[in-house]
Amino acid sequence: MRALLSAAAAAVVFVTGAFNAAAQTYPNRPVTIIVPFAAGGPSDALARIMGERMKATLGQPFVVENVTCAAGSIGVGRAVRSAPDGYTISYGHLGTHVANGAIYSLPYDMLTDLAPVVLLPSNPMVVVSKPTLPAKTLKEVLAWLKANQATATAGTAGAGSGSHIAGVYLESLTGLRLQYVPYRGTAPALNDLVGGQIDIIVDQASNSMQQIRSGRIRAYAITDSKRLAAAPEIPTAEEAGLPGFHMTLWNGLWVPKGTPKDVVARLNAAAIEAMADPAVAKRLNDLGLDMPARDQQTPQALGVWHKAEVDKWWPIIKKAGIKPE
Ligand code: ASP
């Protein structure tokens, strides 16, 4: 018995020692962030801005890999199956890490197969249309969509993505029915909106911002109770005549479960340092993104928030009967 106990104790010392050693030398090669949407979109942009600054703290490149399809569920699955060593990070949001679990039959459990690292900035959605759509206000867009219900199209990043949930929410508030066109991300959807191949997107504000500023698309309302400092000319949903149309798309980072705690702590600290950097904060604010409160930036806080969001959204999404593509 004594021999067994000391063998067990030795194993514990060995394993903890190995973890500490791993954390001390971590990272000693590039870290991959799996972004489950197309390059050039809002998730990709935020992951790259964060990764660039985390490299300055941790001394290794943070390489973004875009693993697209099925509203991000393929990319998240890839991260779940990766080695739990801190070299693969799962980037995602309310859609990928909450909604997808209520829509797809996933080969993983998003709450227990991933360990939280940090909550990232969030932003509201904005209703945008192709430039040639004959409407100037939200009310006029809604009237136009109603009149053209059979043919009008809304671009999304797939069933369960942020742009899709926001579209379903808009339908539930207005009684409209939209024809969705799924893309691998809202970057290609936005290209098609500019080109006039689709009619609207209920898009992440950060994605549409530049095209709104350059006048290539038209913006009608922000899904928030206050206007965006980055685009104060866009009215809130209330002001535009659709009270209650509020939605914030939050983002986060996770690692596969079993990743050593000290590695998670180092990633968390690097992400916090990035968000506290005034140059990073300015870039994110210019995109209309809001920083999470400082006390919400711990791994534990993301864990609690993630679970609460699953509890809140799953019944709503299941009731809406959203089907996978
Ligand atoms: N975040 C997605 C993207 O980067 C878009 C979405 O969820 O609607 O393309």
Side-chain angles (χ1 to χ4, degrees):
M1 185 60 177
R2 196 171 295 158
L4 243 180
L5 280 178
S6 59
V12 168
V13 169
F14 176 76
V15 170
T16 346
F19 278 3
N20 288 339
Q24 270 155 27
T25 54
Y26 173 84
N28 57 20
R29 57 186 168 86
V31 176
T32 299
I33 306 180
I34 298 186
V35 168
F37 295 107
S43 299
D44 184 70
L46 180 50
R48 282 176 203 271
I49 293 171
M50 289 298 297
E52 213 177 283
R53 184 58 182 79
M54 287 168 78
K55 172 186 172 191
T57 303
L58 292 175
Q60 289 289 337
F62 279 66
V63 183
V64 168
E65 194 184 336
N66 300 94
V67 181
T68 64
C69 244
S73 54
I74 307 292
V76 177
R78 170 91 68 88
V80 165
R81 291 189 305 277
S82 305
D85 55 10
Y87 289 96
T88 307
I89 298 179
S90 173
Y91 177 97
H93 63 25
L94 169 66
T96 55
H97 285 64
V98 176
N100 283 355
I103 298 171
Y104 298 85
S105 92
L106 300 173
Y108 54 86
D109 183 319
M110 53 191 35
L111 281 173
T112 56
D113 285 338
L114 289 167
V117 175
V118 73
L119 186 64
L120 294 179
S122 57
N123 70 2
M125 313 298 285
V126 58
V127 180
V128 285
S129 81
K130 64 181 181 186
T132 52
L133 197 132
K136 293 275 181 292
T137 63
L138 183 69
K139 282 193 168 152
E140 287 172 16
V141 174
L142 296 177
W144 184 88
L145 289 170
K146 189 133 225 158
N148 293 276
Q149 227 158 208
T151 52
T153 47
T156 74
S161 61
S163 39
H164 183 240
I165 305 168
V168 171
Y169 188 16
L170 180 66
E171 286 180 312
S172 75
L173 290 176
T174 57
L176 272 174
R177 282 289 154 264
L178 298 169
Q179 317 284 333
Y180 293 106
V181 183
Y183 291 81
R184 286 170 186 254
T186 42
L190 190 59
N191 283 342
D192 273 7
L193 192 74
V194 171
Q197 281 86 19
I198 52 172
D199 298 312
I200 68 155
I201 308 178
V202 190
D203 197 11
Q204 280 165 257
S206 58
N207 194 42
S208 281
M209 201 56 78
Q210 266 184 341
Q211 305 289 15
I212 295 171
R213 284 192 188 127
S214 67
R216 289 200 191 87
I217 57 174
R218 208 172 289 146
Y220 301 93
I222 292 283
T223 62
D224 202 350
S225 52
K226 59 177 192 324
R227 292 190 178 205
L228 279 179
E233 69 286 1
I234 309 173
T236 64
E238 269 77 24
E239 291 167 337
L242 195 58
F245 187 33
H246 291 175
M247 176 176 162
T248 301
L249 200 82
W250 54 268
N251 300 279
L253 298 179
W254 288 259
V255 284
K257 76 161 184 236
T259 301
K261 284 214 164 34
D262 5 19
V263 167
V264 173
R266 297 207 61 196
L267 285 169
N268 173 270
I272 290 178
E273 198 174 306
M275 289 190 276
D277 181 329
V280 172
K282 181 172 182 327
R283 281 177 79 184
L284 298 177
N285 287 337
D286 284 349
L287 288 170
L289 287 153
D290 267 337
M291 280 312 162
R294 184 62 188 82
D295 64 351
Q296 290 302 304
Q297 295 178 8
T298 61
Q300 294 73 15
L302 174 56
V304 170
W305 173 250
H306 190 190
K307 170 86 175 62
E309 287 284 279
V310 164
D311 292 344
K312 170 181 161 184
W313 283 97
W314 278 21
I316 299 172
I317 291 168
K318 286 185 177 161
K319 199 166 156 224
I322 299 173
K323 298 273 171 296
E325 286 126 34

